[in-house]
Amino acid sequence: GAAILTFFMVFQALGSLCSPWSPPRVGPLPPAPTMVRISKPKTFQAYLDDCHRRYSCAHCRAHLANHDDLISKSFQGSQGRAYLFNSVVNVGCGPAEERVLLTGLHAVADIHCESCKTTLGWKYEQAFESSQKYKEGKYIIELNHMIKDNGWD
């Protein structure tokens, strides 16, 4: 008898917590669950024209530069051969710092792919020797970080 009575009291107590007929709640509501923000996949900031040969990031295929903006293929990066470009797209720039490169002292800023954040090369901010001034405002992208894309055949 006592076990049945205890079960009945527990059942009544639980029923009053879970039942749709239980009295309305009094007092503050419990905190709302925190929202999970679902981010959309990153899209490229800029698409280069399909009718031109172009270079893209080897890691995520984001467009980087048109072949028309290539100045020179005879540069040396920190990890091998590199190309010098007049302009690039979809890259972010780090802070400028002075570095002694093969051609002397320069102020350069590392550049990275805005899509996958891979460091690609650097931007020449300032050249301290007059013979190197043509590099100012130009970009180095290392060959191992880019692929030829669209219309190279």
Side-chain angles (χ1 to χ4, degrees):
I4 293 174
L5 185 61
T6 306
F7 173 78
F8 182 72
M9 289 169 45
V10 169
F11 182 76
Q12 261 191 324
L14 284 174
S16 69
L17 290 175
C18 306
S19 165
W21 298 282
S22 58
R25 177 185 250 299
V26 178
L29 291 172
T34 56
M35 296 296 289
V36 176
R37 186 177 206 123
I38 298 179
S39 60
K40 293 189 290 190
K42 180 88 172 157
T43 54
F44 302 147
Q45 291 179 331
Y47 286 92
L48 296 174
D49 193 349
D50 277 344
C51 65
H52 289 98
R53 293 182 294 171
R54 65 178 170 246
Y55 299 92
S56 297
C57 176
H59 312 284
C60 72
R61 300 295 292 262
H63 297 174
L64 295 176
N66 272 326
H67 183 65
D68 299 345
D69 286 313
L70 177 64
I71 298 170
S72 173
K73 294 181 176 183
S74 59
F75 275 73
Q76 189 66 30
S78 57
Q79 302 170 10
R81 288 185 50 216
Y83 288 1
L84 181 70
F85 290 93
N86 232 343
S87 65
V88 295
V89 296
N90 300 321
V91 299
C93 226
E97 58 184 44
E98 291 184 3
R99 290 189 199 148
V100 178
L101 303 174
L102 293 174
T103 53
L105 182 66
H106 295 82
V108 297
D110 285 337
I111 59 172
H112 62 270
C113 174
E114 275 292 350
S115 186
C116 69
K117 306 301 180 201
T118 301
T119 299
L120 304 170
W122 61 85
K123 177 183 181 185
Y124 286 101
E125 298 287 354
Q126 186 180 4
F128 296 103
E129 295 178 25
S130 57
S131 66
Q132 301 300 309
K133 291 283 186 191
Y134 75 96
K135 295 178 185 173
E136 290 181 351
K138 309 290 190 288
Y139 301 84
I140 286 287
I141 298 180
E142 299 188 2
L143 249 55
N144 60 342
H145 294 302
M146 65 182 173
I147 55 172
K148 290 177 175 181
D149 209 0
N150 197 51
W152 288 90
D153 302 330

